[in-house]
Amino acid sequence: MATAKIIGHRAYRGYYPENTILAFNKAKEANVDVIETDLQMSKDGVVVINHDQDTQRCWDKNYVISETNWDALQSLNCKDARFQDQKMPSLKQVLRWIVDNPSMKLMLDIKFTNDQEIMLKSVAEMLSTKEDLLFWRERVIWGLWTVDWFRYGMETGVIKDFQVACISLSLEVAKSFVEYSRELNSPHFRLSGVSMHFVSTWSKTFQKKWLHYFQQNNVEIFVWTINHAVDFKYCNALPISGFVTDFPVEARGAIGQYERSKTTFKRPFFISREGFRFYGFLVIYRLTIEFLFSPWAQYKVFGNFSFSLLFIKFMRIIHFL
């Protein structure tokens, strides 16, 4: 098996303000193979780099991005006192950074809460930055959450000859991407990868069924967000193409420690500290899938907070998401 790629999560989230130009520069210094970053769109149609729909977590004022113009968003300062000079970048600024650093690649994680028009605007920004589609096709991976976005990208032509990856917690959602790609049967519009939660690859079902299914359809497997050395031990024993991580330097050291040619996937003894975590995470993963994809998960229980949003917040507290 080839050595897995290191994908910087929100550039270099572990030590630097996520999705900032500083984090992009540090990710390059850390020799990541790909930078994963997140797209939102402002009220006046500017594509910006931010994970959340609002600015409360990372920035010094709280705005809903889709309800706020770019001039207000670009005036924000980073909340972290060590990095108050950092600003929210626009996609245009990041694309200029790619032109200046052409050895780098981007995985654009587009949140499905956006208007699908964001894909058209993103390609327009690419061409206005450098009028060379081949250049961008070699450096941009579209990360999409639902198959209707894949369909939109095909119907509008914006993803033609780009790499496309499904990002999902659900293997069934990933399957819908694979089946749609097979239905299209086009070399210009095909699914190139799936990006899954790393725990999903630990199950016997994944290793006996899904792994073969993705390989049979020539689909690469990426996992997120993997930060602990013991988790690399399990995942690096599998034919996974890339690890999305907050700590790129440590991740590269970990996969070097667990050399693929000498590592086999071996589940830990249940009655051990490692075993409790391993099997506990598998249970949490199954419950997460059952819960988040249930028909009542979006029911609002507290203001604008749905069951699913509260559950996701809890998963983040225990470092599962």
Side-chain angles (χ1 to χ4, degrees), residues 34-37 39 47 91 95 105-111 115-127 133 136-146 149-150 152-154 156-168 177 188-195 222:
V34 180
I35 291 175
E36 181 271 349
T37 195
L39 302 189
V47 183
L91 174 62
L95 295 174
K105 294 186 71 171
L106 292 176
M107 180 181 286
L108 301 178
D109 181 344
I110 308 180
K111 305 309 177 189
D115 189 305
Q116 291 175 337
E117 181 189 9
I118 194 173
M119 297 179 74
L120 295 171
K121 287 185 173 290
S122 296
V123 171
E125 292 284 32
M126 293 176 201
L127 292 176
L133 260 180
W136 297 113
R137 286 167 175 161
E138 291 174 344
R139 291 167 178 81
V140 171
I141 304 166
W142 294 98
L144 308 177
W145 286 82
T146 58
W149 282 70
F150 191 7
Y152 176 84
M154 184 278 297
T156 58
V158 294
I159 62 171
K160 182 180 180 182
D161 294 326
F162 279 90
Q163 290 185 66
V164 177
C166 160
I167 305 174
S168 184
F177 274 79
H188 303 294
F189 301 97
R190 62 170 300 272
L191 185 71
S192 56
V194 293
S195 185
F222 304 96

Side-chain angles (χ1 to χ4, degrees), residues 76-87:
L76 299 174
N77 294 309
C78 180
K79 260 189 175 181
D80 190 325
R82 299 169 299 168
F83 304 106
Q84 286 182 326
D85 61 328
Q86 292 301 301
K87 302 285 190 177

Side-chain angles (χ1 to χ4, degrees), residues 243-295:
F243 298 127
V244 182
T245 180
D246 293 332
F247 302 97
V249 173
E250 290 88 336
R252 199 172 294 281
I255 63 172
Q257 180 182 352
Y258 299 111
E259 187 179 338
R260 282 188 157 175
S261 62
K262 301 176 182 178
T263 306
T264 57
F265 190 91
K266 184 178 180 181
R267 290 172 176 81
F269 184 55
F270 184 85
I271 306 176
S272 66
R273 183 176 180 180
E274 187 176 327
F276 281 131
R277 180 178 181 273
F278 180 94
Y279 294 105
F281 267 29
L282 276 173
V283 170
I284 291 170
Y285 173 74
R286 294 189 190 106
L287 291 174
T288 300
I289 295 303
E290 291 294 327
F291 181 82
L292 291 181
F293 292 89
S294 66

Side-chain angles (χ1 to χ4, degrees), residues 195-239:
S195 185
M196 310 299 304
H197 193 283
F198 69 94
V199 174
S200 69
T201 67
W202 293 357
S203 70
K204 292 180 181 179
T205 301
F206 180 87
Q207 292 170 27
K208 291 181 178 179
K209 172 187 173 183
W210 292 102
L211 185 55
H212 175 70
Y213 175 76
F214 292 133
Q215 290 177 323
Q216 189 178 41
N217 287 283
N218 197 28
V219 173
E220 290 187 295
I221 301 166
F222 304 96
V223 293
W224 49 267
T225 302
I226 181 166
N227 291 321
H228 298 283
V230 66
D231 299 329
F232 286 101
K233 179 178 70 172
Y234 300 121
C235 290
N236 205 42
L238 300 169

